[in-house]
Amino acid sequence: MTAVLPRLSEADVTAALSTVIDPELDEAVTDLGFVRSVEVRGADVEVHLRLPTSFCAPNFAWLMVSDARDALLAVPGVGRVVVELDDHHDSDLINRGLAADAGYRGTFGHEAELSLDELRATFQRKAHTAAMERALTAWLREDPSRTEQQVGDLVLGDLTGDTTSLLSRRAALGLPVDPSSPVLLSPDGSRPDPGSVATTLRKARSVRISVDGNAHFCRGLLTTRYPGSDADQVFRPSIDSPLPLEVLK
């Protein structure tokens, strides 16, 4: 007996797209307002994406568009999937390549890098660093008597806030996620020695501020380019209020 799949809905499509991350900004394309339109016709889906400028890097654009298509193809009951990028200087090229299932190198030819895997991994490492810093800063804010030096002894099981983002980014890099694992890690995944704890945390903070600043800037550009698109944006909670001076020791 053939199982009857539930009718595909726009909510199913949006949920799938919410797993697609802008690699540079480390936020879902749905939260950034990059989803311009969703159309569901029976089991078939057509999605249009938009970016803050027409000259956003083609490799980043390709990653998001191809990831969106892969995410939608994985939805139970989906039929034909069309994902297109609008108003980009390489829109025609990217849309043709995606429709033909040509892959990144097949689409861009000699202009393409050998692989996007290392680019993706680079930004996954930055995303982990930013998520790690957010978790540690939240822990520091819970008790003004805590100091930066103390985070060197902190393990994942000590964190009391939402660790979903941090754990998912650690898992993507193959880093340990068990409760006894240290929270603070150096960029190479090792545990910093006690004398480097404060420096490692502050370098992580600079990465997080850069990621969040770029996301804020891109949201503004998108709103300028597409008036009203701010209604589609969901902002990540800010943790940028100043830390007490006694913490910064």
Side-chain angles (χ1 to χ4, degrees):
M1 186 174 180
T2 304
V4 178
L5 293 172
R7 181 179 177 84
L8 190 67
S9 69
E10 186 173 325
D12 297 325
V13 174
T14 302
L17 292 173
S18 71
T19 68
V20 179
I21 304 298
D22 181 307
E24 186 177 20
L25 307 181
D26 187 38
E27 293 195 49
V29 294
T30 47
D31 288 351
L32 291 165
F34 290 177
V35 179
R36 189 174 195 173
S37 65
V38 171
E39 185 175 356
V40 179
R41 297 182 296 274
D44 298 338
V45 178
E46 182 169 334
V47 168
H48 285 255
L49 301 181
R50 60 190 174 191
L51 295 176
T53 71
S54 63
F55 49 85
C56 289
N59 47 8
F60 291 136
W62 175 266
L63 282 173
M64 284 183 277
V65 174
S66 60
D67 284 355
R69 181 171 179 265
D70 290 344
L72 293 172
L73 286 171
V75 175
V78 77
R80 180 170 178 264
V81 170
V82 174
V83 177
E84 293 196 343
L85 177 64
D86 296 343
D87 306 331
H88 188 273
H89 67 79
D90 273 332
S91 281
D92 290 343
L93 181 62
I94 289 172
N95 295 338
R96 284 199 307 270
L98 195 68
D101 202 18
Y104 176 66
R105 295 194 67 193
T107 298
F108 286 92
H110 69 278
E111 296 180 1
E113 303 160 28
L114 292 179
S115 171
L116 292 180
D117 292 344
E118 183 53 38
L119 177 70
R120 191 189 292 273
T122 294
F123 282 96
Q124 284 176 330
R125 288 191 288 270
K126 287 187 176 182
H128 165 256
T129 297
M132 176 185 73
E133 190 277 338
R134 289 187 195 98
L136 291 171
T137 295
W139 181 84
L140 286 168
R141 292 184 190 282
E142 289 174 0
D143 185 345
S145 69
R146 294 170 177 170
T147 67
E148 287 188 338
Q149 189 61 36
Q150 290 177 291
V151 305
D153 297 322
L154 208 64
V155 297
L156 291 173
D158 294 328
L159 299 175
T160 57
D162 183 3
T163 58
T164 304
S165 176
L166 175 59
L167 294 179
S168 67
R169 281 148 183 77
R170 287 177 77 120
L173 292 170
L175 297 172
V177 295
D178 56 280
S180 62
S181 299
V183 181
L184 184 67
L185 296 176
S186 300
D188 63 0
S190 64
R191 188 172 191 167
D193 61 75
S196 302
V197 166
T199 300
T200 301
L201 179 59
R202 294 181 189 201
K203 287 182 178 178
R205 185 165 294 134
S206 70
V207 171
R208 193 268 304 165
I209 290 172
S210 174
V211 170
D212 288 353
N214 283 340
H216 181 75
F217 181 61
C218 285
R219 279 188 170 91
L221 288 175
L222 187 76
T223 301
T224 299
R225 191 179 191 202
Y226 300 102
S229 61
D230 52 317
D232 299 325
Q233 298 174 357
V234 178
F235 287 79
R236 179 156 42 200
S238 175
I239 58 170
D240 281 324
S241 57
L243 284 166
L245 290 177
E246 58 268 24
V247 174
L248 300 175
K249 293 181 181 178

